[in-house]
Amino acid sequence: MRGSGLETVLSAITQTGLVPRGAFLLSDEDQRGVLAGVRAIVLAGMAGRDGWSAFAASPEAADGADHPLDRWSRRLIEGLARDLGALALFPFGGPPFWPFQQWARRSEPVHPSPIGLLIHPRYGLWHSYRGALAFREALDVPELAAAPSPCDSCRERWCLNTCPVGAFSGGGYDVAACAGHLEGPAGEDCMDAGCRARRACPVGAEHAYGPGQASFTMRAFLWAREAAR
Ligand code: B12
Ligand code: SF4
Ligand code: SF4
């Protein structure tokens, strides 16, 4: 890598408008296939509303072509990879998919919530990943301190009891029930303000996406389903 380690990478990510989302060192076991020889991975994404304004102001957000957020992420993260001598990896574009949620758990104190999304101690369920930079050098990644999940002390489990079609009541995520609801008139609330189950969680509620960000992610979810049909 050209630069002086992790701090350089984190600061380069921040300068693009994305949010650095932690880093981890790979084990020998991890270093297979495309990841052969990769020693460190740094994640970039959005946290609460941070990151969204950079996308909203981008040419991709306004050009009317498909997959604006993915194209924006590619442009920024591939640019960083070129500048820093890294390999760019993305959560989209599969299957197969890179295991971003597993990588995230090695990078930041995030934990799986009962609805499948990772919960962050500060941002709650309001965060996501836009890409990763893979380095052949072992960067100076600090050890991740163990931290309890906010879900451990949440007896109410609001997230499991709020979905109007019970999409999380069977232990998994009933994607068809959710999408069916979103496509009908009763789905307007989730479509405009974001997933009701996600909004029911009190952790990081002040970081909930604003209307533009929430409705964009919900529309993107439905577009992706249509494209896969
Ligand atoms: C496939 C996929 C989906 C599928 C889920 C399939 C399923 N039966 O659960 C669908 C299309 C339904 C989906 C939906 C959503 N997803 Co999704 N999804 C992915 C994706 C692209 C691949 C997952 C995978 O197969 N990984 C490979 C395996 C090996 O890795 P893994 O870490 O073990 O992955 C498992 C989990 O990720 C789980 N999973 C994936 N998405 C979801 C969503 C929910 C709600 C649940 C319960 C589980 C789940 O399924 C994987 C296989 O077991 C990941 C990105 C990525 N590359 O990881 C995003 C990802 C997991 N999704 C994400 C999000 C935010 C969503 C949505 C909430 C999008 C939105 N609207 O904002 C929606 C849920 C709709 C809603 N009600 O709001 C985020 C999660 C961030 C976080 N905080 O944890 C990710 C990481 C994408 C990102 N760019 O950040 N998703
Ligand atoms: S409502 Fe409770 S159980 Fe559900 S995600 Fe939030 S803290 Fe975790
Ligand atoms: S988006 Fe609405 S219908 Fe879908 S899982 Fe969330 S609360 Fe349920």
Side-chain angles (χ1 to χ4, degrees), residues 2-170:
R2 298 181 289 279
S4 58
L6 186 62
E7 283 309 316
T8 306
V9 178
L10 301 184
S11 134
I13 291 173
T14 305
Q15 277 168 32
T16 65
L18 282 161
V19 180
R21 299 299 315 275
F24 68 98
L25 295 176
L26 279 75
S27 65
D28 292 345
E29 182 90 340
D30 293 322
Q31 296 181 35
R32 298 206 175 139
V34 177
L35 300 184
V38 170
R39 307 278 304 281
I41 285 183
V42 184
L43 301 180
M46 299 204 179
R49 299 176 184 201
D50 295 346
W52 180 254
S53 55
F55 165 66
S58 71
E60 287 85 353
D63 67 13
D66 287 346
H67 307 299
L69 185 59
D70 293 353
R71 289 185 290 114
W72 172 76
S73 307
R74 255 188 209 288
R75 176 166 63 78
L76 266 51
I77 292 167
E78 284 174 352
L80 285 168
R82 266 194 308 277
D83 291 349
L84 297 165
L87 172 69
L89 304 170
F90 297 96
F92 47 83
F97 292 108
W98 290 110
F100 265 76
Q101 287 189 311
Q102 291 174 35
W103 290 352
R105 293 176 67 187
R106 295 165 71 177
S107 305
E108 280 191 313
V110 291
H111 299 272
S113 71
I115 61 170
L117 299 172
L118 296 175
I119 189 158
H120 185 283
R122 177 159 181 222
Y123 297 103
L125 303 174
W126 303 102
H127 62 101
S128 67
Y129 304 90
R130 298 312 318 158
L133 295 165
F135 294 91
R136 300 183 76 81
E137 297 81 4
L139 303 178
D140 44 351
V141 178
E143 201 165 316
L144 185 62
S149 167
C151 301
D152 294 348
S153 53
C154 172
R155 266 185 290 150
E156 292 83 359
R157 307 248 139 180
W158 311 104
C159 59
L160 290 178
N161 306 319
T162 337
C163 171
V165 289
F168 301 108
S169 55

